[in-house]
Amino acid sequence: MKRILMMVLKNLFMVPYGWIRLCYRASHVDKYSEDDMYSFLKWIDLRANRGGNVHIDAHGVDNLPEKNGFMFFPNHQGLYDVLAIIEASPRPFSVVAKKEIGNIPFLKQVFACMKAYMIDREDVRQAMQVIVNVTKEVRKGRNYLIFAEGTRSKNGNQVGTFKGGSFKSATKAQCPIIPVALIDSFKPFDISSTKPVTVQVHFLEPIMYEEYKDMKTTEIAAIVQERIQKTIDENTGKRGESD
């Protein structure tokens, strides 16, 4: 990936130091508070983005609830998505991601620092245990991110189908659901280019438990998907994804 190489080259003197610190923290996560770890990840993220000519255009930060214990549900465009949201969000969060992502260098260490859960979609029992664990942690005040599409879209800014099962932790925790619209997040890592790119991150108005408590998870998924796609369309003019 050309842009990743550029991120490394433009931060050449910082990379060894940053990589050693990242690996150490990933192996000693209990030595650091969540706020401290998140600040460190933002430090790395900001330098990588600047080196890679990636600008994050964040909107709706004031939509985040005052209290922690909420869940982000963004559309899923590519490997860069979580890095975009880390720079955009002032509040720490963790991630539920498929186990295959946990084997990718750098992302593996980042997710370890976030105490993320790697879900095995082939193991129903393990997946159910992740739901239980995330529910408990959200109730205690941790914030989480889940990609409800299950896998990244191959259609750029066209959102895939959101799956109702992805919202089980939120409904069990009775927490605010924050739809997050990502625009052009596929471009930094999934397109062979080093041209400057702007990734938009839109935090939409939260859906509170009182609003969705009588809905089925499939209905919640459809609402979140619709709101995200509407925001994307409004901010892209429904332009093509190949430009």
Side-chain angles (χ1 to χ4, degrees), residues 3 8 16-17 36 49 59 93 100 107 140 164 166 175 220:
R3 195 178 303 273
V8 172
Y17 171 70
D36 179 80
N49 288 338
H59 301 261
F93 64 93
E100 293 82 1
L107 288 181
K140 292 178 181 178
S166 301
C175 71
I220 300 171

Side-chain angles (χ1 to χ4, degrees), residues 102-127:
N103 295 323
I104 298 175
F106 180 67
L107 288 181
K108 177 181 180 179
Q109 284 74 27
V110 169
F111 284 168
C113 289
M114 299 175 83
K115 296 184 178 179
Y117 283 106
M118 298 294 106
I119 195 165
D120 185 351
R121 293 179 295 182
E122 303 298 323
D123 187 338
V124 176
R125 181 176 295 181
Q126 188 266 357

Side-chain angles (χ1 to χ4, degrees), residues 32-44:
Y32 304 91
S33 69
E34 187 169 39
D35 286 337
D36 179 80
M37 191 72 87
Y38 192 65
S39 295
F40 171 71
L41 292 178
K42 286 179 78 74
W43 176 78
I44 287 183

Side-chain angles (χ1 to χ4, degrees), residues 67-213:
K67 294 183 178 180
N68 288 323
F70 55 80
M71 295 188 70
F72 289 133
F73 287 91
N75 54 310
H76 193 9
Q77 295 193 342
L79 295 174
Y80 182 75
D81 296 347
V82 171
L83 300 179
I85 297 173
I86 286 176
E87 179 171 337
S89 174
R91 308 277 281 282
F93 64 93
S94 189
V95 178
V96 177
K98 57 185 181 181
K99 67 174 185 178
E100 293 82 1
I101 302 297
N103 295 323
I104 298 175
F106 180 67
L107 288 181
K108 177 181 180 179
Q109 284 74 27
V110 169
F111 284 168
C113 289
M114 299 175 83
K115 296 184 178 179
Y117 283 106
M118 298 294 106
I119 195 165
D120 185 351
R121 293 179 295 182
E122 303 298 323
D123 187 338
V124 176
R125 181 176 295 181
Q126 188 266 357
M128 290 301 296
Q129 187 59 50
V130 168
I131 291 174
V132 171
N133 293 342
V134 170
T135 300
K136 290 179 180 179
E137 294 197 22
V138 171
R139 284 176 176 169
K140 292 178 181 178
R142 292 197 79 206
N143 309 316
Y144 268 85
L145 179 153
I146 292 181
F147 292 110
E149 289 162 281
T151 188
R152 53 181 170 166
S153 169
K154 301 296 184 180
N155 298 312
N157 289 321
Q158 184 64 41
V159 177
T161 302
F162 276 37
K163 297 174 174 60
S166 301
F167 292 85
K168 287 183 179 179
S169 291
T171 58
K172 290 179 180 295
Q174 302 181 7
C175 71
I177 290 171
I178 316 296
V180 183
L182 296 175
I183 298 174
D184 291 344
S185 187
F186 61 96
K187 291 184 176 179
F189 287 172
D190 293 13
I191 289 181
S192 182
S193 172
T194 57
K195 293 181 179 179
V197 60
T198 296
V199 175
Q200 296 182 44
V201 180
H202 296 260
F203 299 108
L204 308 187
E205 291 187 8
I207 305 173
M208 309 305 289
Y209 176 67
E210 291 72 19
E211 299 176 60
Y212 68 77
K213 64 180 181 180

Side-chain angles (χ1 to χ4, degrees), residues 19-32 37 108-110 112-113:
W19 177 249
I20 290 171
R21 290 184 66 194
L22 178 63
C23 290
Y24 180 82
R25 283 174 172 255
S27 300
H28 301 83
V29 292
D30 293 330
K31 291 183 63 174
Y32 304 91
M37 191 72 87
K108 177 181 180 179
Q109 284 74 27
V110 169
C113 289

